[in-house]
Amino acid sequence: MNLKVIEGLLERYQIKVSTANNGPEALEKIESKEFDFVFMDHMMPEMDGVECFHRIRQKSGSYYRNVPIIALTANAVAGTRELLLKEGFNDFLEKPIERSVLERVLKRNLS
């Protein structure tokens, strides 16, 4: 359901979306195509978003080190944002996603 929600929100901005259902699938997708940015769910099956994020950043090549990766989480307890930013994520977006917050995140992370 979360994938459909984010797809619907991004459609308004004419952003083409490619989705993955879990961490290993996300790694496959990012290895097969370059993306302008990545929304990475904090809690994914098989491999959580933090581990997937680190595996992407460990790959060789400037693309993997520089593509903006934005954490998505429904776990917005105190300190979660700071924890994810400390892990190295470029930005943070809390679910449920508010359109105005999404717009600010997109503006900060897209050239």
Side-chain angles (χ1 to χ4, degrees):
M1 180 54 78
N2 287 322
L3 292 175
K4 293 292 181 196
V5 170
I6 193 76
E7 275 185 87
L9 289 169
L10 293 173
E11 183 177 7
R12 174 179 191 212
Y13 304 97
Q14 299 179 357
I15 294 174
K16 294 179 184 176
V17 176
S18 180
T19 61
N21 292 310
N22 56 52
E25 190 177 322
L27 288 174
E28 281 181 29
K29 293 221 177 200
I30 203 161
E31 290 171 350
S32 67
K33 179 181 176 184
E34 288 193 4
F35 295 92
D36 295 322
F37 67 96
V38 174
F39 281 122
M40 181 74 64
D41 200 313
H42 178 218
M43 298 295 203
M44 293 186 296
E46 297 183 45
M47 178 191 310
D48 71 27
V50 174
E51 181 179 350
C52 189
F53 167 82
H54 286 297
R55 287 192 185 191
I56 291 168
R57 291 296 194 234
Q58 290 168 355
K59 293 186 172 298
S60 63
S62 64
Y63 166 71
Y64 297 110
R65 287 188 305 277
N66 297 315
V67 62
I69 302 178
I70 300 154
L72 284 174
T73 187
N75 185 19
V77 296
T80 301
R81 181 182 203 288
E82 292 75 19
L83 173 73
L84 293 171
L85 293 175
K86 186 178 178 184
E87 287 289 338
F89 284 91
N90 296 83
D91 217 325
F92 172 89
L93 195 55
E94 182 180 335
K95 297 185 283 186
I97 299 167
E98 292 182 33
R99 189 176 310 256
S100 62
V101 176
L102 173 63
E103 286 181 8
R104 284 194 301 273
V105 167
L106 290 173
K107 284 178 184 177
R108 280 194 301 261
N109 292 281
L110 292 177
S111 53

